[in-house]
Amino acid sequence: MAAPNSRERRNIVFKHITLYSADAWLRPYAGYHIMDDPTSSLALNQEVHLVGTVQKIVFYAPQSGFSVLQVVVDDAHASIPVVGYSAHMSTGGKIECIGCWKQDRRYGRQFNARELRIAPPQTLEGIEKYLGSGLIEGIGPQFAKRLVHHFGERVLDVIENEPEQLEKIPGIGRKRLAAVTRAWKSQIAVKEIMVFLHSHGMGSARAVRIYRRYGNDAVRKISENPYCLTTDLYGFGFRTADGLARNLGLTMDSPMRIAAGIDHILRERAQRGHCACAEEDLIKMAGDLLEVDENRVIRCIEEGNQGGTIVVDTMDGTRSVYLRELFDSETGVASHLRRLCLRAPGHWTSSALSAFQRHLPNAQPKLTNGQRHAIETVLKSKVSIITGGPGVGKTTVLNALLRSILHSNTRVALCAPTGRAAKRLAEATGHEAKTLHRLLEFDPQSYEFRHNQNHPLAFDCVVLDEASMVDIRLMYFLLRALPDKTSLAIVGDADQLPAVGPGAVLADLIASDVVPVVRLKEIFRQSAQSYITVNAHRIQQGQMPQTINDSKSDFFLVRANDNQDIADKTIELVSERIPQRFGLNGLLEIQVLTPMNRGALGTEALNHLLQARLNPQSKTGVVLGGTRFATGDKVIQVKNDYEKEVFNGDIGRIVSISREPLVFTIDYDGRAIEYMVDEMENVKLAYATTIHKAQGCEYPAVVIPLTTQHFPLLQRDLLYTAITRGKRLVVIVGQPKAIAIAVHNDASNDRMTRLRERLANALSKVNFVDQIGK
């Protein structure tokens, strides 16, 4: 079929284009629009190049550069919706849009720009709109009109090359002249930076983030070391930076490239929980990744070791390579524990023990001999650990311990790794509990903790709960802030998943045999009647969970054949069967816990299905980054935000969405926090979350979908952690084979860490390890 001629092209009209729903935060584009060249522009997913003028800025997020624009395409006079990223945006400016048309199932047809390139306008009308858009400090609409009237089409050239000519305009003044000159130079710098990044293969979204991070220094920083992107900007992978580096002319065997590859491998391993990497393995992995001779990798490791960016450590004849901060943290934990255990006696040693023995006869609830012995052990020790599974009385022991400490006028602080864990601790004890970040007073400006060895905490005793969630760095920051005389009681379940961050601190502390460990094992009668508790302990021992055909049971297995069957039954259980049978609210009281984010049974797919069933307001929500957010949605923070004091894993609900400007208000346990649109990239839906994110949390009911396709993550401690999150009800939906794989796979704690050996070397046995119970 022949391409249409010019007249035919101009007679082709677009269908009604709606970018967002009529009752959403952006008004819809309505009417009919004519495109000049439908043969190149109407084809979906085919990359095309459009040039036009910014007619209207429908939405612009300064931090992320996300833009929704109305653009009039040259020669066609067609107004089209364009979505993309730009460091700066103004109406009236010429714009080049490189991308393709997309047919969004909700928003209709829109042009998704991979790159937005801004150029100054050419017409007097466009120049006036450009200058009056507020983009340039010191020039508003009225002053822009005066400038254009006086200088005509020369005005932009005057501002750039002869700014002193602006003094001819009455009322400009030196202060305004300086502001205009400064702002214009900034615009030129931004344009040069964006052109530089685009010319080296960087898309607009990433280019904007780079500019926001480095400002006018961006070209210099990236030219000197393009691999700085991997450490300075969250989400920039090594391959992206490596592609940019190759475009800039770096050779395959450049020492900078090899050093960046080694750093990338060590950081990737740290994300999987390892503190270090065996040197032999690192050499091979780096050689494969970088496609360079291994001798060059060996030489680069030695240079990094000498320069202090990495550390090569030899222990028991094995050479391991650490990132500097992880080596300092691991050795620091060992040295500070030695300091605490050996340098000074604890404040509570005599006074708290005496208080405990005085009040023991009247203690409520009555303590067993094992619990009493556990408390006495902790009170006699400078550093100690209380561990045990569900139903063994950890909370009872902790409350009796706290009563004894407080009766002795001891200054005590309770803390936990996350906000939800701290809230649970406060509810269980009746005393204030803080997150570790709040206790140590994290300063978001300096990115440091205010409390450290030079400014220690002013407490006689610190109780740390949910210690299995604490990684090596956070434990180091806590220990260095404890004065010599402060006692530390560590509480946690060693059989749960290890921390998301690097290290296995609680497991290493227990295995090192250098501090007293109270291991509670006796399951109390009330807990023993719960199949949640019984099955948690069975799984812990490598046995399959049991169920009974009893409507009063709190643990159920629902068999399903395949992923679709599992997904359907999960949605039905949460939205209908559990609420009808047990009277629980599907949105507020039931949490779906799944091993993975991706896949048919990952958090992304399940959240989409659950949102549609549980939140009737979801249809009128706002879509950001492919996710629809609506008032009433359950959401989770996925990255620490120290300024808002909202941390990775905190769950809240969207209570309102204001439209102009777009602001989301999220309630976290009674705290209303506002989010601008660009801050929402750290928020995800939370109808379903990963099991890792659920650490430290408890829910009235949990539903756990399991399939053999989860095989890489089917591990005993993962299933154990998921089950112990449920207080009143646990339902596993899936294939029995998947459950069996998880129960019998006990290999997940195999993290590369040398803390156990360092503790053994740093401390002779301070006290003893006590086994309490059966």
Side-chain angles (χ1 to χ4, degrees):
M1 180 177 176
N5 59 37
S6 178
R7 178 174 294 180
E8 289 172 331
R9 288 199 303 265
R10 291 182 183 279
N11 285 332
I12 294 177
V13 279
F14 274 29
K15 293 182 179 179
H16 180 83
I17 296 175
T18 304
L19 187 61
Y20 291 86
S21 60
D23 55 350
W25 56 284
L26 293 177
R27 300 183 186 279
Y29 294 94
Y32 294 92
H33 304 294
I34 303 172
M35 281 300 300
D36 183 51
D37 191 355
T39 60
S40 63
S41 301
L42 289 180
L44 292 175
N45 301 316
Q46 178 182 344
E47 185 162 286
V48 293
H49 185 180
L50 301 178
V51 179
T53 303
V54 179
Q55 182 185 51
K56 181 180 180 182
I57 300 172
V58 182
F59 178 77
Y60 181 65
Q63 293 302 314
S64 66
F66 177 72
S67 310
V68 180
L69 313 171
Q70 272 183 284
V71 175
V72 178
V73 180
D74 284 1
D75 301 325
H77 307 294
S79 178
I80 67 169
V82 175
V83 178
Y85 291 82
S86 177
H88 286 288
M89 188 54 61
S90 66
T91 55
K94 294 291 283 187
I95 189 169
E96 293 180 70
C97 312
I98 301 173
C100 58
W101 286 96
K102 297 286 186 182
Q103 182 69 36
D104 188 277
R105 65 183 180 83
R106 180 172 173 80
Y107 302 147
R109 201 181 193 91
Q110 59 189 41
F111 191 86
N112 282 24
R114 176 174 56 83
E115 292 183 17
L116 290 178
R117 298 175 179 175
I118 309 298
Q122 304 299 317
T123 67
L124 288 177
E125 181 184 2
I127 291 171
E128 184 179 323
K129 290 181 70 175
Y130 175 70
L131 291 175
S133 65
L135 185 65
I136 301 171
E137 182 183 356
I139 300 180
Q142 294 303 316
F143 192 62
K145 185 184 293 292
R146 290 160 59 191
L147 283 172
V148 171
H149 177 74
H150 191 278
F151 293 106
E153 293 180 356
R154 293 182 54 246
V155 63
L156 299 181
D157 184 62
V158 169
I159 295 173
E160 182 172 348
N161 299 310
E162 302 176 84
E164 66 277 1
Q165 295 289 323
L166 299 182
E167 293 183 0
K168 296 179 180 179
I169 307 296
I172 185 170
R174 291 187 176 182
K175 186 174 181 180
R176 177 182 274 189
L177 175 62
V180 170
T181 304
R182 183 172 59 251
W184 184 261
K185 287 180 178 178
S186 176
Q187 293 303 302
I188 298 299
V190 171
K191 180 181 177 182
E192 291 175 350
I193 291 166
M194 298 300 284
V195 169
F196 170 82
L197 293 171
H198 284 147
S199 67
H200 290 291
M202 194 64 61
S204 289
R206 284 176 167 167
V208 170
R209 290 188 61 203
I210 292 170
Y211 172 72
R212 294 286 181 234
R213 177 65 177 81
Y214 300 123
N216 293 344
D217 245 4
V219 173
R220 181 186 63 79
K221 286 277 293 183
I222 293 172
S223 298
E224 290 176 355
N225 180 10
Y227 297 102
C228 64
L229 296 173
T230 61
T231 53
D232 292 350
L233 284 167
Y234 177 76
F236 268 80
F238 173 78
R239 295 192 184 280
T240 300
D242 195 40
L244 178 58
R246 301 298 301 281
N247 281 332
L248 290 170
L250 246 67
T251 59
M252 292 277 288
D253 58 356
S254 163
M256 180 187 294
R257 180 173 183 265
I258 298 172
I262 291 169
D263 181 84
H264 164 70
I265 291 169
L266 292 175
R267 291 189 185 280
E268 198 174 56
R269 285 180 60 81
Q271 289 177 358
R272 297 201 299 267
H274 301 287
C275 290
C277 181
E279 185 181 40
E280 183 179 349
D281 295 338
L282 178 61
I283 292 168
K284 185 178 187 314
M285 286 188 285
D288 292 343
L289 172 70
L290 302 168
E291 298 179 4
V292 297
D293 185 83
E294 290 185 356
N295 288 323
R296 292 186 179 274
V297 176
I298 293 170
R299 187 155 55 247
C300 198
I301 290 173
E302 290 303 322
E303 290 172 356
N305 186 41
Q306 293 171 11
T309 55
I310 59 177
V311 176
V312 180
D313 182 61
T314 302
M315 185 174 288
D316 299 332
T318 302
R319 284 168 63 90
S320 304
V321 184
Y322 288 78
L323 293 168
R324 163 58 69 179
E325 62 264 30
L326 292 183
F327 179 79
D328 290 345
S329 296
E330 193 173 273
T331 54
V333 167
S335 64
H336 280 295
L337 278 172
R338 176 181 175 83
R339 170 181 63 83
L340 288 172
C341 290
L342 301 181
R343 186 171 292 180
H347 178 275
W348 68 11
T349 302
S350 57
S351 57
L353 185 60
S354 298
F356 171 66
Q357 291 170 342
R358 281 199 311 273
H359 293 90
L360 180 61
N362 299 319
Q364 292 295 331
K366 293 292 183 180
L367 300 176
T368 66
N369 290 336
Q371 289 175 325
R372 183 172 67 250
H373 186 52
I375 295 167
E376 290 175 345
T377 299
V378 173
L379 291 174
K380 291 176 183 178
S381 308
K382 188 70 179 300
V383 178
S384 56
I385 297 171
I386 303 172
T387 188
V392 296
K394 290 196 300 293
T395 300
T396 300
V397 169
L398 186 56
N399 277 320
L401 178 66
L402 286 174
R403 284 196 297 271
S404 303
I405 295 170
L406 294 172
H407 279 136
S408 63
N409 296 318
T410 298
R411 296 172 299 173
V412 62
L414 305 183
C415 60
T418 67
R420 292 181 73 84
K423 183 181 179 183
R424 280 184 56 208
L425 179 60
E427 291 170 349
T429 62
H431 298 284
E432 181 188 19
K434 296 181 177 181
T435 63
L436 280 167
H437 287 84
R438 286 189 62 202
L439 178 70
L440 299 174
E441 296 185 27
F442 185 84
D443 180 4
Q445 302 302 317
S446 65
Y447 235 66
E448 294 284 343
F449 289 105
R450 291 193 177 96
H451 289 290
N452 51 41
Q453 59 269 42
N454 300 318
H455 183 207
L457 293 166
F459 295 102
D460 304 310
C461 164
V462 171
V463 177
L464 170 63
D465 196 20
E466 293 288 357
S468 64
M469 299 173 64
V470 180
D471 65 26
I472 192 70
R473 286 174 291 202
L474 197 50
M475 181 60 82
Y476 168 63
F477 293 138
L478 172 64
L479 292 175
R480 72 175 185 174
L482 299 183
D484 290 351
K485 291 187 177 181
T486 297
S487 298
L488 175 64
I490 300 171
V491 183
D493 186 345
D495 294 309
Q496 284 191 29
L497 284 168
V500 173
V505 177
L506 180 60
D508 283 345
L509 278 170
I510 293 172
S512 68
D513 200 28
V514 297
V515 296
V517 177
V518 175
R519 192 181 296 273
L520 300 170
K521 291 187 174 182
E522 181 183 352
I523 301 176
F524 287 85
R525 185 174 64 182
Q526 184 175 355
S527 296
Q529 296 173 353
S530 165
Y531 266 75
I532 296 175
T533 300
V534 170
N535 283 323
H537 286 274
R538 286 182 63 84
I539 290 168
Q540 180 189 51
Q541 296 161 13
Q543 301 173 17
M544 289 289 286
Q546 292 181 337
T547 59
I548 58 171
N549 188 19
D550 185 349
S551 61
K552 296 182 180 179
S553 176
D554 57 4
F555 188 98
F556 296 90
L557 296 176
V558 177
R559 291 175 179 264
N561 300 319
D562 53 34
N563 288 352
Q564 187 60 54
D565 192 23
I566 295 172
D568 291 344
K569 287 179 176 176
T570 297
I571 304 305
E572 184 185 5
L573 281 162
V574 175
S575 61
E576 297 177 22
R577 291 175 60 185
I578 293 176
Q580 291 170 4
R581 177 84 167 270
F582 296 94
L584 295 172
N585 184 296
L587 176 64
L588 303 178
E589 297 179 294
I590 306 172
Q591 184 63 50
V592 175
L593 302 178
T594 182
M596 306 175 76
N597 284 310
R598 304 284 184 179
L601 294 174
T603 58
E604 294 176 7
L606 291 173
N607 271 318
H608 175 72
L609 296 171
L610 288 164
Q611 180 190 45
R613 290 290 289 271
L614 297 175
N615 187 5
Q617 300 183 75
S618 63
K619 293 181 180 179
T620 60
V622 176
V623 174
L624 298 174
T627 300
R628 182 183 296 115
F629 294 101
T631 302
D633 276 339
K634 182 159 58 172
V635 293
I636 185 169
Q637 178 83 11
V638 296
K639 185 181 178 184
N640 289 342
D641 188 324
Y642 299 104
E643 292 187 2
K644 296 182 186 299
E645 291 192 358
V646 182
F647 301 103
N648 189 355
D650 286 353
I651 289 180
R653 288 190 71 199
I654 298 177
V655 292
S656 69
I657 302 176
S658 64
R659 308 293 178 168
E660 295 180 5
L662 184 61
V663 178
F664 299 79
T665 302
I666 302 177
D667 180 88
Y668 293 98
D669 296 322
R671 294 175 60 234
I673 308 295
E674 290 189 346
Y675 285 75
M676 302 302 291
V677 64
D678 50 297
E679 296 173 316
M680 289 295 289
E681 66 180 0
N682 297 323
V683 176
K684 306 294 181 187
L685 294 177
Y687 298 90
T689 68
T690 62
I691 297 168
H692 282 84
K693 293 289 187 188
Q695 285 181 269
C697 303
E698 276 189 348
Y699 310 96
V702 297
V703 177
I704 309 164
L706 285 182
T707 171
T708 53
Q709 292 188 11
H710 289 147
F711 182 80
L713 291 175
L714 291 178
Q715 297 161 343
R716 183 183 302 172
D717 56 1
L718 183 113
L719 182 56
Y720 174 82
T721 300
I723 287 173
T724 54
R725 300 309 91 204
K727 295 169 63 176
R728 293 167 52 188
L729 180 67
V730 171
V731 181
I732 299 178
V733 187
Q735 301 157 326
K737 184 178 179 180
I739 300 171
I741 291 172
V743 168
H744 295 110
N745 181 8
D746 194 27
S748 60
N749 284 323
D750 189 19
R751 293 186 168 194
M752 179 115 189
T753 160
R754 308 308 295 269
L755 179 61
R756 177 180 176 180
E757 293 88 343
R758 295 188 198 284
L759 290 168
N761 292 337
L763 287 159
S764 57
K765 197 171 184 181
V766 176
N767 253 321
F768 56 89
V769 177
D770 193 14
Q771 299 289 323
I772 296 178
K774 297 178 183 178

